[in-house]
């Protein structure tokens, strides 16, 4: 079983749509959780951290369920500029980061 | 924000030669640096973890004699791909963590093509 699993997609949605990505992780000792965004041929950039209480940043909402070892990202009112690959990242207690394979999102006019 | 600079951004080399990639934290001291490799349409795969002044810790399946990592200072880590083969062609990215932080800052990546 992979350490971090994501649905690879692709997700093709129209502008304005709401889209949700899911991610599961296998190591119950995982400490920190993040969503990164990666554009084609570029380095990943931090989108947001994920907390057990859930957190929201504008159109983006992230949730963490430790009991189910599950992370989610919700994007509301999708923009063309949201097209990218979204990486679920889990950090172990030694700061080792484990990446999901990424979910590709394409937002179409 | 914290800046990590990686150089070169792309390189083409001949089989059998060695290539050195540099990763610098420009405005902070990086207690730990990580090196990743990403093949097309695949996720980032951790190759090794590097702490300043000590030997790097390599992930299973990564040859330490082929991928030499030197973390000589708190702002510089280098990855040398020795005796490069075409199958080493990939996107190599470094990241750095500031002391006390959990957020990682990534370099721009290096696209290596071995011909």
């Amino acid at each position: 079983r992979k350490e971090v699993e994501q649905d690879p997609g692709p997700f093709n949605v129209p502008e304005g749509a709401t889209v949700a990505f899911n991610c599961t992780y296998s190591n119950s000792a995982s400490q920190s959780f993040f969503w990164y965004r990666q554009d084609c041929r570029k380095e990943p950039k931090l989108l947001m951290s994920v907390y057990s209480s859930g957190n929201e940043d504008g159109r983006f909402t992230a949730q963490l369920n430790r009991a189910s070892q599950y992370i989610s990202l919700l994007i509301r009112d999708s923009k063309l500029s949201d097209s990218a690959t979204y990486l679920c990242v889990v950090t172990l207690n030694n700061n080792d980061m484990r990446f999901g394979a990424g979910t590709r999102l394409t937002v179409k006019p | 924000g914290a800046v990590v600079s990686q150089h070169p951004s792309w390189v083409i080399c001949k089989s059998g030669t060695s290539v050195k990639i540099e990763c610098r934290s420009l405005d902070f001291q990086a207690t730990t640096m990580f090196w990743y490799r990403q093949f097309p349409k695949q996720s980032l795969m951790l190759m090794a973890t590097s702490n300043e002044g000590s030997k790097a810790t390599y992930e299973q399946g990564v040859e330490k004699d082929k991928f030499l990592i030197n973390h000589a200072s708190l702002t510089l880590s280098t990855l040398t791909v020795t005796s490069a083969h075409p199958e080493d062609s990939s996107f190599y990215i470094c990241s750095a963590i500031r002391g006390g932080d959990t957020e990682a800052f990534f370099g721009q990546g290096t696209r290596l093509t071995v011909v």
Side-chain angles (χ1 to χ4, degrees):
Chain A
R1 183 184 172 189
K2 292 181 181 177
E3 291 181 285
V4 182
E5 294 205 57
Q6 289 182 252
D7 180 346
F11 285 65
N12 298 308
V13 303
E15 271 187 290
T18 296
V19 61
F21 305 140
N22 300 321
C23 169
T24 57
Y25 60 95
S26 62
N27 191 332
S28 60
S30 300
Q31 297 286 309
S32 304
F33 309 88
F34 306 91
W35 283 101
Y36 277 76
R37 170 194 169 129
Q38 186 175 26
D39 293 295
C40 188
R41 293 176 170 256
K42 297 288 183 64
E43 76 278 17
K45 292 187 185 296
L46 179 65
L47 180 64
M48 59 196 306
S49 302
V50 189
Y51 305 112
S52 296
S53 55
N55 48 303
E56 186 174 312
D57 183 3
R59 299 181 292 110
F60 300 86
T61 301
Q63 294 277 355
L64 165 64
N65 184 321
R66 282 190 182 270
S68 301
Q69 296 181 199
Y70 168 95
I71 304 160
S72 66
L73 176 68
L74 182 77
I75 305 176
R76 291 181 298 278
D77 189 22
S78 300
K79 310 292 184 189
L80 296 176
S81 57
D82 293 334
S83 297
T85 296
Y86 290 83
L87 300 168
C88 173
V89 180
V90 172
T91 301
L92 306 179
N93 59 3
N94 56 355
N95 277 333
D96 275 2
M97 300 176 81
R98 304 293 172 180
F99 288 78
T103 299
R104 188 179 304 176
L105 170 67
T106 301
V107 180
K108 299 185 175 181
Chain B
V3 177
V4 175
S5 176
Q6 191 172 335
H7 177 81
S9 55
W10 61 271
V11 58
I12 302 173
C13 70
K14 291 184 178 180
S15 288
T17 60
S18 296
V19 174
K20 180 184 282 189
I21 302 170
E22 292 188 349
C23 179
R24 293 180 184 273
S25 56
L26 298 185
D27 53 359
F28 68 99
Q29 292 186 326
T31 53
T32 306
M33 286 184 169
F34 302 91
W35 286 96
Y36 299 85
R37 181 168 50 182
Q38 187 177 34
F39 292 107
K41 299 191 177 183
Q42 295 188 25
S43 183
L44 292 169
M45 297 300 296
L46 180 65
M47 298 176 67
T49 302
S50 170
N51 293 295
E52 184 264 342
S54 62
K55 290 184 179 180
T57 303
Y58 289 81
E59 293 298 298
Q60 192 172 8
V62 178
E63 300 174 57
K64 62 180 181 180
D65 294 329
K66 180 171 179 62
F67 298 98
L68 302 178
I69 292 173
N70 186 305
H71 195 160
S73 75
L74 283 170
T75 59
L76 174 64
S77 177
T78 60
L79 167 68
T80 301
V81 183
T82 63
S83 188
H85 290 164
E87 54 263 34
D88 297 326
S89 299
S90 186
F91 191 48
Y92 292 85
I93 305 178
C94 70
S95 72
I97 291 184
R98 237 176 343 206
D101 278 357
T102 56
E103 181 183 349
F105 301 94
F106 286 84
Q108 303 93 322
T110 298
R111 189 160 301 280
L112 170 64
T113 301
V114 184
V115 297

